Amino acid sequence: MLEPSKSTDSSGMDEFGYAQTLDRSIGKFASFAAGVSYISILTGVFQLFYFGFSMAGPAYAWSWPIVFAGQLMVALCFAELAGRYPVAGSVYNWAKQLSSGTFAWLAGWLLLISSIVALGAVALALQLTLPQIWSGFQIIGDGTGTYDFALNGVLLASIMISISTLINAFGVKLMTKINSIGVFVELAAAVLLILALGWHVVRGPEALFSTEGYGMDHDLGFFGVFLIGAMASGYVMYGFDTASSLGEETKDPKKTAPKAILRAITASFILGGLILLGGLLAAPDLNDPKLGSADGGLQYIVLSVLGGPFGKAFLVCIVVAVFVCTLAVHAAAIRMMFAMARDNNLPFSRQLSKVHPERKTPTVAAIVIGLIAIMPLIVNVSQPAIFTILSSISIVLIYLSYLLVTVPLLRRRFLKKWPLSDASHGKAGFSLGKWGVPVNILAVLWGGAMTLNLIWPRPEIYNSVPPFEWYLQWGGVIFVGAVAIGGTLLYRLKIRHQTGVLAEHAAAARPAAAQPAAAESAAAQSAAEVRDPDAPAEPQLVSAPLSNP
């Protein structure tokens, strides 16, 4: 068992009921880099540009500022929570403070599953870029076969996830060092790319106001296809809570995490928006069908405009961005699994919450996440539309988990139970003040609307290529429903009966003899011994209520 270590700053884990078992070594830039690399403008903008363009043409770019405005409302709420609770598994631990046990557990469960699916979806982005750098990266087939693209994508993604697993399992210092270097390269490349595309502009911004005939066959006209194309932007701007999820490993996290969240989403919006704008205005021909195909897209524009050597140099930077984005998504998923497991809220919690005594990182969780992330890839290996399917499902789950935080937060605002007073709970690292209620309302409305938009069983997303089957078109609804309902049943029937902080992760160890007496004092909600039916008799648990009355 790891011995609890004292925090080097005023934001020690003892105030949250946990021991400091992770390595608190992340600085301000590394925290910011974690959020930026998860959002990863070069990964997201390049990965689904072709999809957004194929649905709504150049005017799909207007979804970028719309998505940013909505997600900024969510990010502001999260920054306020991060200023109070900078704890691993951010969304899960925030929900514990705001709502009932079932909803709190479900928030963590949905985000955990979404992170695992997103890990595979992000790693798949290598297939969209590597073969355009060198044809030798198309290992399976020549790319013209029906399943060549998907099969090769799964192979490259599996290799990427394996590398990410090794790095994340080795320790947070190595991960954040690589991540920070990668983010620096990504940001520098983004700025240079913006300047290069701006130099080669061939048309004015009026191109963004033309629907170009898109949506003529849709019942809702251009608005209908625009809603579909908005998935391309929605896929990019999430994951900013990663800065807080690494809070236990960040120095002075109550001040650092909120700033990192807001800086990450703002920087990503500005740079990503300028790249999108530059690409559309510099494209040689907006009627070129390659712009709307998975083997073309924004990568094709860069190669066409900047030429072979320079264009491919920027594509290499995109690969770097995909690499560090994979690391960040993996790291966030590990922290979520670790946070839930140390509360004994997952099967095999004791094993999943183990922290390596020297590297101080959840090694078992890193390996398990990596293995599970490859499974959805294998299931969809013969599905040519694998990119949009996995991307859409991961976003829906994330939006749902975010709603399980913003909705109870809004409820507590209406009940005058939020924000907490500085006098009784210590000074917060960030506060919305009088803007809290309107920002929170907008965050909830945005989250609900976008969730419905993304989960709607449109064939363009879930069944865009043959065979056209109803179960494929409704696959997103079926999968999300199965994850939500199955998770709820798992918690209600089994998990909730064993909930309690594992003794090795509790803030302070107490004599075993004191535990029965403490268990009798329910009114004080003090520590109680809880048995894990899958564990040996020796280990002990300390109760951790999943709601904050």
Side-chain angles (χ1 to χ4, degrees):
M1 185 197 324
L2 287 176
E3 293 295 328
S5 61
K6 297 295 183 182
S7 173
T8 58
D9 55 52
S10 61
S11 300
M13 290 305 298
D14 54 336
E15 66 179 289
F16 305 118
Y18 299 115
Q20 180 69 50
T21 55
L22 301 180
D23 185 13
R24 192 179 289 280
S25 60
I26 299 176
K28 292 181 180 180
F29 181 79
S31 178
F32 162 75
V36 168
S37 59
Y38 196 122
I39 297 174
S40 189
I41 47 175
L42 291 187
T43 301
V45 172
F46 277 82
Q47 184 171 5
L48 287 181
F49 171 91
Y50 82 91
F51 177 79
F53 190 91
S54 68
M55 288 294 107
Y60 108 85
W62 289 106
S63 65
W64 187 260
I66 292 174
V67 169
F68 167 71
Q71 289 295 79
L72 179 61
M73 300 301 103
V74 179
L76 286 167
C77 291
F78 283 9
E80 198 171 44
L81 287 163
R84 286 288 184 188
Y85 312 114
V87 189
S90 51
V91 167
Y92 162 71
N93 270 300
W94 296 339
K96 278 168 55 178
Q97 304 295 329
L98 300 170
S99 60
S100 67
T102 300
F103 289 111
W105 187 88
L106 193 59
W109 171 255
L110 291 177
L111 193 58
L112 176 61
I113 300 300
S114 69
S115 297
I116 293 172
V117 176
L119 178 57
V122 168
L124 279 172
L126 290 175
Q127 175 61 25
L128 302 177
T129 305
L130 283 177
Q132 296 198 53
I133 296 176
W134 178 49
S135 60
F137 286 116
Q138 183 63 45
I139 302 169
I140 299 176
D142 60 3
T144 60
T146 304
Y147 303 113
D148 287 1
F149 209 64
L151 282 168
N152 200 72
V154 170
L155 175 62
L156 294 177
S158 299
I159 294 173
M160 178 68 258
I161 292 172
S162 300
I163 296 172
S164 175
T165 299
L166 291 174
I167 294 173
N168 272 288
F170 193 82
V172 72
K173 287 183 179 178
L174 176 63
M175 189 279 292
T176 52
K177 184 176 293 186
I178 295 174
N179 190 64
S180 295
I181 294 172
V183 166
F184 179 80
V185 171
E186 180 176 3
L187 294 177
V191 172
L192 291 175
L193 183 58
I194 290 168
L195 295 174
L197 290 173
W199 183 261
H200 290 85
V201 163
V202 296
R203 66 183 57 82
E206 65 274 2
L208 304 181
F209 293 89
S210 175
T211 60
E212 298 287 341
Y214 286 89
M216 292 181 62
D217 299 328
H218 197 280
D219 293 340
L220 297 177
F222 178 76
F223 181 68
V225 295
F226 180 79
L227 289 177
I228 301 172
M231 189 195 85
S233 297
Y235 177 68
V236 184
M237 278 182 275
Y238 68 88
F240 35 79
D241 56 293
T242 303
S244 181
S245 199
L246 292 170
E248 291 185 31
E249 298 149 277
T250 303
K251 301 171 184 177
D252 196 11
K254 287 188 177 181
K255 293 182 179 179
T256 302
K259 292 178 181 178
I261 289 173
L262 298 178
R263 287 170 179 169
I265 190 172
T266 302
S268 299
F269 162 69
I270 295 172
L271 295 177
L274 290 175
I275 290 174
L276 190 58
L277 178 65
L280 290 170
L281 300 186
D285 182 8
L286 290 179
N287 294 316
D288 190 334
K290 288 282 285 184
L291 271 61
S293 64
D295 59 348
L298 194 53
Q299 292 91 329
Y300 175 70
I301 293 177
V302 171
L303 288 175
S304 301
V305 171
L306 303 183
F310 291 105
K312 289 187 177 183
F314 280 111
L315 294 192
V316 170
C317 293
I318 296 171
V319 173
V320 172
V322 173
F323 180 74
V324 295
C325 182
T326 303
L327 288 181
V329 174
H330 201 153
I334 293 168
R335 272 66 191 175
M336 179 59 72
M337 179 173 279
F338 167 75
M340 297 183 73
R342 72 175 168 190
D343 283 350
N344 204 29
N345 271 333
L346 289 175
F348 309 106
S349 286
R350 183 154 284 104
Q351 290 73 30
L352 294 176
S353 66
K354 281 184 178 179
V355 176
H356 194 280
E358 295 178 3
R359 303 187 183 108
K360 293 187 177 182
T361 194
T363 304
V364 176
I367 296 171
V368 171
I369 292 289
L371 292 173
I372 297 177
I374 296 175
M375 292 181 184
L377 300 179
I378 296 174
V379 171
N380 289 278
V381 72
S382 61
Q383 175 55 265
I386 184 174
F387 300 95
T388 54
I389 292 173
L390 291 184
S391 300
S392 184
I393 288 174
S394 67
I395 309 172
V396 171
L397 290 172
I398 281 179
Y399 272 82
L400 283 173
S401 66
Y402 283 5
L403 279 172
L404 288 172
V405 172
T406 56
V407 170
L409 178 61
L410 181 59
R411 176 177 174 272
R412 292 181 79 83
R413 289 188 195 277
F414 285 146
L415 294 175
K416 305 299 183 183
K417 294 182 178 181
W418 189 273
L420 304 175
S421 66
D422 291 344
S424 57
H425 294 85
K427 187 172 179 58
F430 178 83
S431 176
L432 289 172
K434 63 180 180 180
W435 294 100
V437 172
V439 166
N440 206 158
I441 290 174
L442 290 173
V444 170
L445 292 176
W446 164 256
M450 199 62 174
T451 299
L452 290 175
N453 180 42
L454 291 169
I455 202 172
W456 196 259
R458 300 181 180 93
E460 293 91 344
I461 295 179
Y462 296 103
N463 196 192
S464 59
V465 294
F468 297 108
E469 304 288 352
W470 72 268
Y471 54 84
L472 293 176
Q473 183 174 333
W474 285 81
V477 176
I478 294 171
F479 181 83
V480 172
V483 169
I485 296 172
T488 302
L489 291 175
L490 174 64
Y491 176 76
R492 297 296 300 176
L493 298 178
K494 184 181 189 311
I495 299 295
R496 70 189 180 102
H497 300 296
Q498 66 185 47
T499 295
V501 180
L502 295 170
E504 56 265 38
H505 294 288
R510 290 168 303 134
Q515 291 200 19
E520 296 174 1
S521 178
Q525 291 188 348
S526 52
E529 182 174 352
V530 182
R531 286 292 310 279
D532 180 351
D534 298 322
E538 293 79 11
Q540 297 172 345
L541 304 169
V542 180
S543 68
L546 276 184
S547 61
N548 187 24

